[in-house]
Amino acid sequence: MLDWEQLNSVCSNCQSCELGRTRTNVVIGRGNTEAPILFVGEGPGENEDVQGLPFVGAAGQLLDTLLDALMFKPHEYYIANVVKCRPPNNRVPLEEEAEKCLPYLRNQVALIRPQIIVCLGSTAARYVIARDAKITQIRGQWIERKGYWIMPAFHPAALLRDQSKKALLFSDIKAVRDKLLSITGKED
Ligand code: URA
């Protein structure tokens, strides 16, 4: 297992897949590295690629709004993605790209040791939960695995296309807040 410094350096120099050729920046993560909650998205988009930070574009603003509305505090979460480099034209990462990148996410999980992992969207659900996971079928249902509570939820970008998913994402993230409260026994 790599420590954070080693992980940053290995990821920054990574050329294990084709995405390494076209990225501007490697996007490793943001937030508290000792947080109780880890949010996992799909991969960096254009803004993320430029800034080197996850969820800073339109989907990220939606996520931030949701987290603020549900009174999450910045120290309570860390945000990362399945792939650390932007897929061209924001396409879904190829299986081999995700497979090459997954050890980095696993390393992040091992370092953070969150109590809760939230899979945002089908790519995160596929690579964190099961390759055949269907987000529409499993969202909102807790999965307990290897000592982690895992919550699959819609990706915030899906709301930009379909407003009817908003209430479901809100209730799934509210369930995360409630679970955190029940685990820690306090708000903060
Ligand atoms: N969508 C993702 O899945 N991750 C990001 O970092 C930004 C948008």
Side-chain angles (χ1 to χ4, degrees):
M1 184 171 94
L2 307 176
D3 64 24
W4 282 110
E5 205 181 312
Q6 293 165 329
L7 186 66
N8 282 330
S9 149
V10 170
C11 286
S12 302
N13 294 304
C14 184
Q15 290 292 342
S16 296
C17 79
E18 288 293 305
L19 301 182
R21 294 171 183 267
T22 48
R23 69 166 181 249
T24 309
N25 285 294
V26 175
V27 177
I28 297 170
R30 69 172 164 101
N32 179 9
T33 55
E34 297 179 358
I37 305 169
L38 169 64
F39 288 95
V40 181
E42 178 175 285
E46 187 177 9
N47 292 290
E48 290 77 16
D49 178 60
V50 170
Q51 293 186 45
L53 291 168
F55 282 97
V56 289
Q61 278 165 22
L62 252 169
L63 182 63
D64 285 346
T65 305
L66 191 62
L67 296 178
D68 283 350
L70 286 164
M71 319 261 264
F72 283 88
K73 308 196 180 60
H75 70 86
E76 290 177 320
Y77 57 88
Y78 185 89
I79 306 178
N81 282 307
V82 170
V83 294
K84 311 293 188 232
C85 298
R86 182 190 182 200
N89 303 316
N90 299 342
R91 63 160 169 75
V92 174
L94 302 177
E95 183 134 5
E96 68 172 90
E97 294 161 353
E99 293 291 354
K100 287 262 168 62
C101 215
L102 270 178
Y104 300 143
L105 181 63
R106 292 200 189 99
N107 202 135
Q108 288 177 299
V109 172
L111 288 169
I112 299 166
R113 294 196 297 118
Q115 281 156 308
I116 298 170
I117 300 174
V118 184
C119 296
L120 294 170
S122 62
T123 297
R126 281 186 62 203
Y127 291 102
V128 173
I129 299 168
R131 294 297 189 273
D132 61 354
K134 300 258 183 306
I135 195 70
T136 46
Q137 289 170 12
I138 65 170
R139 59 136 287 277
Q141 299 167 50
W142 285 109
I143 297 161
E144 192 181 10
R145 195 194 284 174
K146 296 185 192 161
Y148 299 108
W149 286 102
I150 305 176
M151 170 58 76
F154 284 130
H155 193 289
L159 270 59
L160 301 169
R161 299 184 288 267
D162 177 359
Q163 279 289 316
S164 73
K165 295 191 164 119
K166 197 170 179 174
L168 294 174
L169 178 60
F170 188 91
S171 82
D172 295 348
I173 304 302
K174 165 87 168 52
V176 171
R177 152 116 334 287
D178 294 345
K179 175 69 88 184
L180 182 65
L181 189 57
S182 80
I183 292 171
T184 60
K186 57 186 171 73
E187 285 280 0
D188 198 10

